[in-house]
Amino acid sequence: MPMPLLDRRRFGLAFGATLAAPMLAARTTAPAHEDGQHAILMLNADCSDTSVVNVFAPSVLHIEPGQSVTFLATDPGHNTASKRGMIPDGAEPWNGAIDEELTITLPVPGIYGYICLPHYEGGMVGLIVVGNDLSNLAAAHKVRHPGAARKTFRALLTDLEAGAA
Ligand SMILES: [Cu+2]
């Protein structure tokens, strides 16, 4: 039976209010904040498609060199770690603890691939692009991954190359 209009509207409002912040952050290209601060949410489900579980939002984030990104432990059970071979030469790798709210600063331009260790095989991975520099794209493409991470990284890198992310 369809929901009465009023109830549906009320549900929609409540739903929208609860998810307003994650929805904003889930856009693939977040605008640079005035203070140069960015956030990536570590989520148990994608807010735009809850059938997609364990995601970073946004999965691709563009920032300027020297800006910072904070990984927020919005949902429990996740971490963030840079993926070897998927960060630019001379860049510092990172490896956060589970549920750690980790802030990293990225002065070196290029593509940074990172993973959530518990959900790596499930495809919980993401990219940060610093200074719109795609010069390590080919190198990033060559890195091997288990399970769904292979498909997810390939899709993210292909979109990036095509200018779609
Ligand atoms: Cu995870």
Side-chain angles (χ1 to χ4, degrees):
M1 197 166 90
M3 250 191 254
L5 182 61
L6 184 65
D7 287 0
R8 205 161 46 197
R9 199 179 291 150
R10 199 175 286 153
F11 177 76
L13 280 175
F15 195 69
T18 310
L19 295 179
M23 289 299 278
L24 275 176
R27 293 183 307 189
T28 46
T29 50
H33 295 201
E34 278 177 32
D35 56 0
Q37 297 287 324
H38 300 267
I40 295 174
L41 310 181
M42 301 192 279
L43 299 174
N44 291 348
D46 190 329
C47 59
S48 57
D49 179 358
T50 51
S51 70
V52 180
V53 296
N54 302 321
V55 291
F56 291 103
S59 53
V60 178
L61 176 70
H62 292 263
I63 69 169
E64 293 304 318
Q67 289 185 333
S68 298
V69 180
T70 299
F71 288 89
L72 297 171
T74 311
D75 289 330
H78 306 286
N79 85 322
T80 173
S82 56
K83 180 62 193 166
R84 199 193 321 188
M86 296 188 80
I87 64 174
D89 287 342
E92 281 287 313
W94 69 88
N95 188 4
I98 301 289
D99 296 333
E100 181 183 356
E101 185 172 305
L102 185 72
T103 297
I104 55 170
T105 302
L106 303 175
V108 182
I111 298 167
Y112 293 73
Y114 62 89
I115 66 170
C116 166
L117 205 51
H119 305 116
Y120 179 30
E121 277 196 64
M124 185 169 174
V125 302
L127 299 176
I128 299 168
V129 186
V130 178
N132 211 25
D133 181 340
L134 307 187
S135 54
N136 65 324
L137 184 78
H141 257 305
K142 280 186 193 143
V143 177
R144 294 175 167 273
H145 308 283
R150 189 156 63 108
K151 200 177 77 175
T152 310
F153 263 135
R154 195 196 297 138
L156 294 178
L157 290 167
T158 302
D159 281 358
L160 189 63
E161 195 168 16

PDB file of all heavy atoms in Angstrom, residues 42-44 53-56 75-80 98 115-120 124-125, ligand 1:
ATOM      1  N   MET A  42      34.039   7.819   6.584  1.00  0.00           N
ATOM      2  CA  MET A  42      34.176   6.367   6.521  1.00  0.00           C
ATOM      3  C   MET A  42      32.822   5.798   6.932  1.00  0.00           C
ATOM      4  O   MET A  42      32.395   5.940   8.083  1.00  0.00           O
ATOM      5  CB  MET A  42      35.305   5.894   7.436  1.00  0.00           C
ATOM      6  CG  MET A  42      36.646   6.537   7.049  1.00  0.00           C
ATOM      7  SD  MET A  42      38.110   5.818   7.832  1.00  0.00           S
ATOM      8  CE  MET A  42      38.071   6.615   9.435  1.00  0.00           C
ATOM      9  N   LEU A  43      32.126   5.202   5.965  1.00  0.00           N
ATOM     10  CA  LEU A  43      30.718   4.840   6.153  1.00  0.00           C
ATOM     11  C   LEU A  43      30.465   3.344   5.987  1.00  0.00           C
ATOM     12  O   LEU A  43      31.138   2.676   5.214  1.00  0.00           O
ATOM     13  CB  LEU A  43      29.858   5.583   5.121  1.00  0.00           C
ATOM     14  CG  LEU A  43      29.885   7.118   5.161  1.00  0.00           C
ATOM     15  CD1 LEU A  43      29.092   7.673   3.980  1.00  0.00           C
ATOM     16  CD2 LEU A  43      29.343   7.638   6.474  1.00  0.00           C
ATOM     17  N   ASN A  44      29.441   2.863   6.696  1.00  0.00           N
ATOM     18  CA  ASN A  44      29.011   1.468   6.540  1.00  0.00           C
ATOM     19  C   ASN A  44      28.144   1.274   5.306  1.00  0.00           C
ATOM     20  O   ASN A  44      28.003   0.161   4.815  1.00  0.00           O
ATOM     21  CB  ASN A  44      28.238   0.995   7.772  1.00  0.00           C
ATOM     22  CG  ASN A  44      29.129   0.855   8.987  1.00  0.00           C
ATOM     23  OD1 ASN A  44      30.354   0.896   8.870  1.00  0.00           O
ATOM     24  ND2 ASN A  44      28.541   0.706  10.152  1.00  0.00           N
ATOM     25  N   VAL A  53      27.799  -1.181   0.472  1.00  0.00           N
ATOM     26  CA  VAL A  53      28.264  -1.138   1.853  1.00  0.00           C
ATOM     27  C   VAL A  53      29.756  -0.821   1.925  1.00  0.00           C
ATOM     28  O   VAL A  53      30.510  -1.118   1.001  1.00  0.00           O
ATOM     29  CB  VAL A  53      27.984  -2.470   2.595  1.00  0.00           C
ATOM     30  CG1 VAL A  53      26.485  -2.723   2.702  1.00  0.00           C
ATOM     31  CG2 VAL A  53      28.687  -3.640   1.927  1.00  0.00           C
ATOM     32  N   ASN A  54      30.144  -0.221   3.043  1.00  0.00           N
ATOM     33  CA  ASN A  54      31.531   0.105   3.347  1.00  0.00           C
ATOM     34  C   ASN A  54      32.186   0.966   2.257  1.00  0.00           C
ATOM     35  O   ASN A  54      32.802   0.467   1.324  1.00  0.00           O
ATOM     36  CB  ASN A  54      32.351  -1.173   3.585  1.00  0.00           C
ATOM     37  CG  ASN A  54      31.766  -2.001   4.701  1.00  0.00           C
ATOM     38  OD1 ASN A  54      31.304  -1.467   5.708  1.00  0.00           O
ATOM     39  ND2 ASN A  54      31.759  -3.307   4.533  1.00  0.00           N
ATOM     40  N   VAL A  55      32.024   2.253   2.429  1.00  0.00           N
ATOM     41  CA  VAL A  55      32.535   3.197   1.424  1.00  0.00           C
ATOM     42  C   VAL A  55      33.199   4.402   2.075  1.00  0.00           C
ATOM     43  O   VAL A  55      32.899   4.758   3.215  1.00  0.00           O
ATOM     44  CB  VAL A  55      31.406   3.725   0.504  1.00  0.00           C
ATOM     45  CG1 VAL A  55      30.872   2.634  -0.400  1.00  0.00           C
ATOM     46  CG2 VAL A  55      30.283   4.371   1.303  1.00  0.00           C
ATOM     47  N   PHE A  56      34.105   4.999   1.314  1.00  0.00           N
ATOM     48  CA  PHE A  56      34.620   6.319   1.629  1.00  0.00           C
ATOM     49  C   PHE A  56      33.781   7.325   0.836  1.00  0.00           C
ATOM     50  O   PHE A  56      33.462   7.088  -0.329  1.00  0.00           O
ATOM     51  CB  PHE A  56      36.082   6.458   1.185  1.00  0.00           C
ATOM     52  CG  PHE A  56      37.051   5.628   1.984  1.00  0.00           C
ATOM     53  CD1 PHE A  56      37.573   4.451   1.460  1.00  0.00           C
ATOM     54  CD2 PHE A  56      37.458   6.024   3.251  1.00  0.00           C
ATOM     55  CE1 PHE A  56      38.480   3.688   2.185  1.00  0.00           C
ATOM     56  CE2 PHE A  56      38.361   5.275   3.979  1.00  0.00           C
ATOM     57  CZ  PHE A  56      38.884   4.103   3.448  1.00  0.00           C
ATOM     58  N   ASP A  75      31.155   6.028  10.840  1.00  0.00           N
ATOM     59  CA  ASP A  75      30.687   4.704  11.256  1.00  0.00           C
ATOM     60  C   ASP A  75      31.883   3.929  11.792  1.00  0.00           C
ATOM     61  O   ASP A  75      33.018   4.166  11.370  1.00  0.00           O
ATOM     62  CB  ASP A  75      30.078   3.940  10.065  1.00  0.00           C
ATOM     63  CG  ASP A  75      28.743   4.534   9.628  1.00  0.00           C
ATOM     64  OD1 ASP A  75      28.026   5.090  10.483  1.00  0.00           O
ATOM     65  OD2 ASP A  75      28.423   4.444   8.428  1.00  0.00           O
ATOM     66  N   PRO A  76      31.652   2.996  12.735  1.00  0.00           N
ATOM     67  CA  PRO A  76      32.775   2.260  13.322  1.00  0.00           C
ATOM     68  C   PRO A  76      33.284   1.135  12.427  1.00  0.00           C
ATOM     69  O   PRO A  76      32.561   0.651  11.552  1.00  0.00           O
ATOM     70  CB  PRO A  76      32.166   1.681  14.604  1.00  0.00           C
ATOM     71  CG  PRO A  76      30.710   1.553  14.315  1.00  0.00           C
ATOM     72  CD  PRO A  76      30.366   2.646  13.344  1.00  0.00           C
ATOM     73  N   GLY A  77      34.536   0.745  12.670  1.00  0.00           N
ATOM     74  CA  GLY A  77      35.076  -0.458  12.031  1.00  0.00           C
ATOM     75  C   GLY A  77      35.921  -0.229  10.796  1.00  0.00           C
ATOM     76  O   GLY A  77      36.223  -1.172  10.081  1.00  0.00           O
ATOM     77  N   HIS A  78      36.304   1.052  10.556  1.00  0.00           N
ATOM     78  CA  HIS A  78      37.068   1.344   9.341  1.00  0.00           C
ATOM     79  C   HIS A  78      38.409   2.001   9.676  1.00  0.00           C
ATOM     80  O   HIS A  78      38.590   2.539  10.758  1.00  0.00           O
ATOM     81  CB  HIS A  78      36.270   2.279   8.424  1.00  0.00           C
ATOM     82  CG  HIS A  78      34.901   1.768   8.097  1.00  0.00           C
ATOM     83  ND1 HIS A  78      34.687   0.738   7.217  1.00  0.00           N
ATOM     84  CD2 HIS A  78      33.682   2.142   8.555  1.00  0.00           C
ATOM     85  CE1 HIS A  78      33.379   0.497   7.142  1.00  0.00           C
ATOM     86  NE2 HIS A  78      32.754   1.330   7.947  1.00  0.00           N
ATOM     87  N   ASN A  79      39.304   1.955   8.717  1.00  0.00           N
ATOM     88  CA  ASN A  79      40.535   2.732   8.832  1.00  0.00           C
ATOM     89  C   ASN A  79      40.891   3.246   7.439  1.00  0.00           C
ATOM     90  O   ASN A  79      40.210   2.951   6.459  1.00  0.00           O
ATOM     91  CB  ASN A  79      41.679   1.909   9.425  1.00  0.00           C
ATOM     92  CG  ASN A  79      42.417   1.087   8.386  1.00  0.00           C
ATOM     93  OD1 ASN A  79      41.799   0.536   7.460  1.00  0.00           O
ATOM     94  ND2 ASN A  79      43.721   0.992   8.502  1.00  0.00           N
ATOM     95  N   THR A  80      41.959   4.024   7.374  1.00  0.00           N
ATOM     96  CA  THR A  80      42.459   4.489   6.085  1.00  0.00           C
ATOM     97  C   THR A  80      43.958   4.279   6.040  1.00  0.00           C
ATOM     98  O   THR A  80      44.662   4.580   7.018  1.00  0.00           O
ATOM     99  CB  THR A  80      42.119   5.973   5.835  1.00  0.00           C
ATOM    100  OG1 THR A  80      42.774   6.406   4.621  1.00  0.00           O
ATOM    101  CG2 THR A  80      42.569   6.864   6.989  1.00  0.00           C
ATOM    102  N   ILE A  98      42.051   1.524  13.308  1.00  0.00           N
ATOM    103  CA  ILE A  98      40.602   1.370  13.168  1.00  0.00           C
ATOM    104  C   ILE A  98      39.916   2.434  14.031  1.00  0.00           C
ATOM    105  O   ILE A  98      40.292   2.626  15.189  1.00  0.00           O
ATOM    106  CB  ILE A  98      40.148  -0.041  13.628  1.00  0.00           C
ATOM    107  CG1 ILE A  98      40.841  -1.132  12.806  1.00  0.00           C
ATOM    108  CG2 ILE A  98      38.621  -0.169  13.562  1.00  0.00           C
ATOM    109  CD1 ILE A  98      40.383  -1.256  11.377  1.00  0.00           C
ATOM    110  N   ILE A 115      43.145   2.669   1.027  1.00  0.00           N
ATOM    111  CA  ILE A 115      42.227   1.551   1.284  1.00  0.00           C
ATOM    112  C   ILE A 115      41.761   1.553   2.740  1.00  0.00           C
ATOM    113  O   ILE A 115      42.374   2.203   3.590  1.00  0.00           O
ATOM    114  CB  ILE A 115      42.912   0.184   1.005  1.00  0.00           C
ATOM    115  CG1 ILE A 115      44.062  -0.044   2.012  1.00  0.00           C
ATOM    116  CG2 ILE A 115      43.446   0.122  -0.427  1.00  0.00           C
ATOM    117  CD1 ILE A 115      44.639  -1.448   1.996  1.00  0.00           C
ATOM    118  N   CYS A 116      40.683   0.853   2.998  1.00  0.00           N
ATOM    119  CA  CYS A 116      40.298   0.480   4.365  1.00  0.00           C
ATOM    120  C   CYS A 116      40.726  -0.971   4.503  1.00  0.00           C
ATOM    121  O   CYS A 116      40.242  -1.830   3.754  1.00  0.00           O
ATOM    122  CB  CYS A 116      38.791   0.623   4.565  1.00  0.00           C
ATOM    123  SG  CYS A 116      38.207  -0.194   6.075  1.00  0.00           S
ATOM    124  N   LEU A 117      41.617  -1.243   5.422  1.00  0.00           N
ATOM    125  CA  LEU A 117      42.193  -2.597   5.504  1.00  0.00           C
ATOM    126  C   LEU A 117      41.143  -3.701   5.732  1.00  0.00           C
ATOM    127  O   LEU A 117      41.153  -4.699   5.024  1.00  0.00           O
ATOM    128  CB  LEU A 117      43.287  -2.633   6.570  1.00  0.00           C
ATOM    129  CG  LEU A 117      44.350  -3.713   6.381  1.00  0.00           C
ATOM    130  CD1 LEU A 117      44.946  -3.682   4.971  1.00  0.00           C
ATOM    131  CD2 LEU A 117      45.446  -3.555   7.414  1.00  0.00           C
ATOM    132  N   PRO A 118      40.216  -3.538   6.695  1.00  0.00           N
ATOM    133  CA  PRO A 118      39.223  -4.608   6.898  1.00  0.00           C
ATOM    134  C   PRO A 118      38.313  -4.833   5.683  1.00  0.00           C
ATOM    135  O   PRO A 118      37.777  -5.928   5.517  1.00  0.00           O
ATOM    136  CB  PRO A 118      38.388  -4.122   8.084  1.00  0.00           C
ATOM    137  CG  PRO A 118      39.209  -3.092   8.761  1.00  0.00           C
ATOM    138  CD  PRO A 118      40.072  -2.483   7.701  1.00  0.00           C
ATOM    139  N   HIS A 119      38.130  -3.812   4.862  1.00  0.00           N
ATOM    140  CA  HIS A 119      37.177  -3.922   3.749  1.00  0.00           C
ATOM    141  C   HIS A 119      37.836  -3.719   2.392  1.00  0.00           C
ATOM    142  O   HIS A 119      37.170  -3.376   1.410  1.00  0.00           O
ATOM    143  CB  HIS A 119      36.033  -2.917   3.945  1.00  0.00           C
ATOM    144  CG  HIS A 119      35.345  -3.062   5.266  1.00  0.00           C
ATOM    145  ND1 HIS A 119      35.344  -2.092   6.229  1.00  0.00           N
ATOM    146  CD2 HIS A 119      34.670  -4.119   5.786  1.00  0.00           C
ATOM    147  CE1 HIS A 119      34.684  -2.525   7.298  1.00  0.00           C
ATOM    148  NE2 HIS A 119      34.270  -3.752   7.054  1.00  0.00           N
ATOM    149  N   TYR A 120      39.139  -3.955   2.350  1.00  0.00           N
ATOM    150  CA  TYR A 120      39.898  -3.781   1.101  1.00  0.00           C
ATOM    151  C   TYR A 120      39.363  -4.727   0.023  1.00  0.00           C
ATOM    152  O   TYR A 120      39.005  -4.299  -1.075  1.00  0.00           O
ATOM    153  CB  TYR A 120      41.367  -4.051   1.413  1.00  0.00           C
ATOM    154  CG  TYR A 120      42.348  -3.950   0.279  1.00  0.00           C
ATOM    155  CD1 TYR A 120      42.158  -3.093  -0.803  1.00  0.00           C
ATOM    156  CD2 TYR A 120      43.529  -4.705   0.322  1.00  0.00           C
ATOM    157  CE1 TYR A 120      43.108  -2.998  -1.808  1.00  0.00           C
ATOM    158  CE2 TYR A 120      44.475  -4.614  -0.676  1.00  0.00           C
ATOM    159  CZ  TYR A 120      44.263  -3.767  -1.753  1.00  0.00           C
ATOM    160  OH  TYR A 120      45.206  -3.684  -2.745  1.00  0.00           O
ATOM    161  N   MET A 124      36.406  -1.267  -0.479  1.00  0.00           N
ATOM    162  CA  MET A 124      36.380   0.023   0.211  1.00  0.00           C
ATOM    163  C   MET A 124      37.718   0.716  -0.004  1.00  0.00           C
ATOM    164  O   MET A 124      38.672   0.533   0.757  1.00  0.00           O
ATOM    165  CB  MET A 124      36.085  -0.145   1.711  1.00  0.00           C
ATOM    166  CG  MET A 124      35.934   1.199   2.428  1.00  0.00           C
ATOM    167  SD  MET A 124      35.273   0.997   4.093  1.00  0.00           S
ATOM    168  CE  MET A 124      35.395   2.692   4.689  1.00  0.00           C
ATOM    169  N   VAL A 125      37.767   1.499  -1.077  1.00  0.00           N
ATOM    170  CA  VAL A 125      38.990   2.185  -1.485  1.00  0.00           C
ATOM    171  C   VAL A 125      38.620   3.575  -1.991  1.00  0.00           C
ATOM    172  O   VAL A 125      37.446   3.842  -2.265  1.00  0.00           O
ATOM    173  CB  VAL A 125      39.731   1.405  -2.600  1.00  0.00           C
ATOM    174  CG1 VAL A 125      40.080  -0.005  -2.143  1.00  0.00           C
ATOM    175  CG2 VAL A 125      38.909   1.360  -3.893  1.00  0.00           C
TER     176      VAL A 125
HETATM  177 CU    CU B   1      36.039  -0.191   6.030  1.00  0.00          CU
END
